Amino acid sequence: MRSGYRAPRRWLQMALGTALLASAAMALAQPAARVEPAAAAQRAAAPRTAAPRTAAPSTAAPRTVLVLGDSLSAAYGLREDQGWVAMLGERVTAGHPGWQVVNASISGETSAGGSARVVDEVLRHRPAVVVIALGANDALRGLPLPELRRNLARMIGASRHVGARVLLVGMRMPPNLGADYTRGFEQTYRDLAAFFDVELLPFLLEPIAADRGNFMDDNLHPTARAQPAIARHVWPALEPLLR
């Protein structure tokens, strides 16, 4: 399996190397102020009064959890604050001051779409943690599993390249595409998590999947009532990455 990841690694080196080097901070040296001898003598003779100390305001930017998902993470058909990602964000902010959650999920997103935009997203937000929750739309379209694997590998690699920890969130699909595809689809997430040594949540919808009443009329998207259960399900996998 390892030979299949050479191409993603070369892609990461080319795509990210230049951008990261270009974004490095460069300090411009300012010329030192010239002090005339007479003025210097006067300053040396003058009594020195210690300036009162004041606490410096905190300028530390919040650490970011970046969520890259599809409609299941984008609160499809709901208000944004009704989605599990927003609920998770509230819990992160309350329990871990200095952290924030940014939801960059897009309804209809595929692993190819996530792979195409992951570099821009991680360079824009500089996340400390990236949650990758993609693949459901790929399975619905019958995407060949090697393509899914390559796309997710690029996303994991790009996230790791900027120093972020990764939570990979898997999916399970009904066997309408055949048992081999269904098993291979689930195994793809396990293989990637093991290869890259990242955290894995095997099935995003596990706590709600068995109850048809948890889904909208399309039988695909969770209702508002089901969102808190998803947030509670994701939390134990995410919380250790915030420490």
Side-chain angles (χ1 to χ4, degrees), residues 163-184:
R165 297 179 177 181
V166 175
L167 171 60
L168 181 63
V169 180
M171 284 297 297
R172 293 176 186 165
M173 304 303 295
N176 58 301
L177 294 174
D180 289 343
Y181 187 93
T182 301
R183 285 193 297 267

Side-chain angles (χ1 to χ4, degrees), residues 29 52 64 66 87 108 110 127 133 142 146 241:
T64 297
L66 178 65
M87 296 178 183
T110 63
L241 302 182

Side-chain angles (χ1 to χ4, degrees), residues 114-163:
S115 174
R117 66 188 178 96
V118 65
V119 172
D120 287 341
E121 294 290 357
V122 298
L123 291 179
R124 178 183 301 113
H125 297 290
R126 297 289 177 174
V129 175
V130 176
V131 178
I132 301 173
L134 286 169
N137 289 319
D138 298 81
L140 291 174
R141 300 173 186 184
L143 183 77
L145 295 179
E147 294 185 33
L148 172 66
R149 186 160 50 245
R150 284 194 297 269
N151 292 336
L152 293 177
R154 291 187 184 114
M155 297 187 70
I156 297 170
S159 302
R160 295 282 294 271
H161 198 86
V162 297

Side-chain angles (χ1 to χ4, degrees), residues 60-82:
R63 305 184 73 188
T64 297
V65 177
L66 178 65
V67 180
L68 295 169
D70 49 34
S71 57
L72 298 176
S73 305
Y76 175 87
L78 308 172
R79 297 193 316 270
E80 183 178 354
D81 63 333
Q82 292 179 305

Side-chain angles (χ1 to χ4, degrees), residues 14-15 93 128 162 188:
M14 291 185 293
T93 301
V162 297
T188 294

Side-chain angles (χ1 to χ4, degrees), residues 147-230:
E147 294 185 33
L148 172 66
R149 186 160 50 245
R150 284 194 297 269
N151 292 336
L152 293 177
R154 291 187 184 114
M155 297 187 70
I156 297 170
S159 302
R160 295 282 294 271
H161 198 86
V162 297
R165 297 179 177 181
V166 175
L167 171 60
L168 181 63
V169 180
M171 284 297 297
R172 293 176 186 165
M173 304 303 295
N176 58 301
L177 294 174
D180 289 343
Y181 187 93
T182 301
R183 285 193 297 267
F185 181 82
E186 295 181 33
Q187 187 63 40
T188 294
Y189 293 92
R190 291 192 289 267
D191 289 345
L192 287 168
F195 184 87
F196 285 101
D197 191 23
V198 299
E199 294 299 318
L200 173 67
L201 183 66
F203 183 27
L204 175 64
L205 304 181
E206 183 172 359
I208 68 165
D211 185 351
R212 173 66 182 83
N214 286 322
F215 293 87
M216 298 180 187
D217 291 341
D218 60 12
N219 204 27
L220 294 172
H221 296 97
T223 62
R225 182 173 64 89
Q227 300 293 323
I230 301 174

